[in-house]
Amino acid sequence: MVLESQEAMPQTSIICSSVLGPSCSGQVPPGMGERGGGAGGSGDLIFQDGRLISGSLEALMEHLVPTVDYYPDRTYIFTFLLSSRVFMPPHDLLARVGQIYLEQRQQLEAGSEKAMLKSFSAKIVQLLKEWTEAFPCDFQDEKAMAELKAITHRIMQCDEENGTVKKAIAQLTQSLLLSLAARSQLQELREKLRSPAVDKGPILKAKPPASQKDILGVCCDPLVLAQQLTHIELERVSSIHPQDLMQIVSHTDSRDKHRCRGDPTKTYSLEAYDNWFNCLSMLVATEVCRVVKKKQRTRMLEFFIDVARECFNIGNFNSMMAIISGMNLSPVARLKKTWSKVKTAKFDVLEHHMDPSSNFCNYRTALQGATQRSQMANSSREKIVIPVFNLFVKDIYFLHKIHTNHLPNGHINFKKFWEISRQIHEFMTWTRVECPFEKDKKIQNYLLTAPIYSEEALFIASFESEGPENHMEKDSWKTLRTTLLNRA
């Protein structure tokens, strides 16, 4: 996928891989069976062509819990654990799983199936293992951790002689604690990192100090800079977890008063990643506007066009969009004399691929091509897919808004949550790709810490480079200069 012309990439289908198993469609694999739930039996779960499409919340919870001769499809485990938090907090679901486990265990002990208890306990532990591995952050909540301890304690009490189950529980607990400790340390590190400083910009028509570096003084190779941007993107996006993305749809519903609200404290990673996009856009605008000489500004614009082009070729659409957004900001876009010297053919191609018409049809075609390349990749470089994050979030939100959570019969519209889960899983697959490019700390340090101009300072610098052309711009220029001078 190399960006050379305006020709759109061929339309390709997205091949969906499963979250933890072979299917992402909700199909019931051969031999898995279709387990009904609730008082109504299988009537509380509705299947269509072997695919679970709806059910009551209670039936869906029961469908999650294994029996002696049943274990849920792993894609169902992921999808239900992910979507259930829209209706109830994880610790309440865990408590209900514990209740269902006890009910089934009592039935086995009362009957003639005591020999089955060992197998049943092992399946429950396996379910808990998959839960703690897929959603370890659920157990940062003290209530969820307490419920987990309660369930595992009951299992060990009832299976005192089952060394295999005890060992599995010990390994599960140790892995979970290590994962939570690592995430806690990473969170502390992120909180220590400062956002790029906002520079007040040039107050008078003084040239920047000769010692003041610009991006070309740090890196003049567009490909290298695109690779370093990809490093930063993958590092930042790796802090986003599936449950963070479900916050997009976790809002109070009048039909479910008990349902948990979206927790603002859990959207930190989403906001931090979105903030990176904005900082990159502002950095691009700053680098252009701070240059005094028109010839150098022209060179700077052409450099960023080439960087955006290399980002496209890598599959880093988020950085590409941020760069284009920076060049389209008013303080940069109004520099007509500078743009007249720029060879804009490459920029026109970039804007073609990011054309918002028809719901960003051109971009989506390119994203599908990159997705297919990633799935067929023989090298780590071909696996990189970093979508435009804002558009991905809007897609999830739109999917949530156009499809109801409940059907007229009161069932949960599970068909909707299969699709949301599929898209979130695909995104999470992209975030797990290890960046194949060598890290350059000097370049990354500049990208992350270089001062960026405020919007006001950008306009001042822009007007000083190319004077106001009309009365409106002249009035704005005078107002901004007065404001910044008073602050200084």
Side-chain angles (χ1 to χ4, degrees), residues 224-324:
V224 172
L225 189 62
Q227 292 174 345
Q228 297 311 305
L229 287 170
T230 302
H231 252 296
I232 295 172
E233 292 278 357
L234 289 173
E235 286 176 4
R236 300 217 162 194
V237 79
S238 66
S239 67
I240 297 175
H241 305 294
Q243 59 269 30
D244 299 329
L245 295 169
M246 280 304 290
Q247 293 291 318
I248 300 167
V249 303
S250 294
H251 300 292
T252 303
D253 181 5
S254 59
R255 295 193 60 178
D256 264 313
K257 294 181 181 180
H258 69 277
R259 193 174 66 175
C260 59
R261 294 175 181 266
D263 185 353
T265 64
K266 293 180 180 178
T267 61
Y268 170 81
S269 58
L270 303 183
E271 292 169 358
Y273 190 48
D274 185 58
N275 185 58
W276 153 247
F277 179 98
N278 296 330
C279 286
L280 179 55
S281 293
M282 294 296 283
L283 177 62
V284 170
T286 298
E287 292 290 328
V288 174
C289 289
R290 63 184 283 208
V291 178
V292 176
K293 294 182 179 180
K294 182 171 63 176
K295 185 177 181 180
Q296 293 175 339
R297 281 198 305 276
T298 301
R299 183 188 175 201
M300 187 69 74
L301 280 171
E302 291 180 338
F303 174 72
F304 277 118
I305 290 171
D306 286 339
V307 173
R309 181 170 172 268
E310 294 296 349
C311 285
F312 180 94
N313 292 336
I314 289 172
N316 181 358
F317 299 106
N318 201 55
S319 288
M320 173 193 174
M321 178 66 97
I323 293 170
I324 294 174

Side-chain angles (χ1 to χ4, degrees), residues 141-156:
D141 175 30
E142 293 180 1
K143 292 180 180 179
M145 184 61 83
E147 291 292 346
L148 177 64
K149 290 179 179 178
I151 295 176
T152 54
H153 181 67
R154 292 187 203 119
I155 294 173
M156 288 192 292

Side-chain angles (χ1 to χ4, degrees), residues 353-405:
H353 282 282
M354 291 296 152
D355 183 356
S357 62
S358 301
N359 193 21
F360 289 89
C361 178
N362 296 337
Y363 157 69
R364 295 181 189 282
T365 300
L367 180 63
Q368 287 179 326
T371 300
Q372 186 180 50
R373 180 187 68 180
S374 177
Q375 291 161 347
M376 307 298 290
N378 294 318
S379 69
S380 55
R381 294 192 176 208
E382 296 175 332
K383 291 181 180 180
I384 297 172
V385 181
I386 306 173
V388 178
F389 187 63
N390 284 336
L391 291 180
F392 173 78
V393 169
K394 288 178 182 177
D395 285 347
I396 295 294
Y397 181 74
F398 183 69
L399 183 61
H400 165 60
K401 294 300 289 183
I402 63 173
H403 298 290
T404 60
N405 288 344

Side-chain angles (χ1 to χ4, degrees), residues 39-102:
S42 60
D44 284 349
L45 292 178
I46 305 299
F47 292 83
Q48 188 176 70
D49 299 325
R51 183 174 186 246
L52 176 59
I53 60 171
S54 72
S56 66
L57 180 59
E58 178 63 23
L60 291 169
M61 287 191 289
E62 292 194 9
H63 195 61
L64 175 70
V65 183
T67 64
V68 172
D69 54 4
Y70 163 82
Y71 191 83
D73 179 13
R74 290 177 173 179
T75 58
Y76 176 76
I77 294 174
F78 179 88
T79 301
F80 183 69
L81 290 178
L82 181 64
S83 58
S84 64
R85 63 199 68 234
V86 175
F87 306 97
M88 63 195 305
H91 64 82
D92 282 351
L93 175 60
L94 198 55
R96 183 63 187 124
V97 168
Q99 291 172 357
I100 297 173
Y101 159 72
L102 280 179

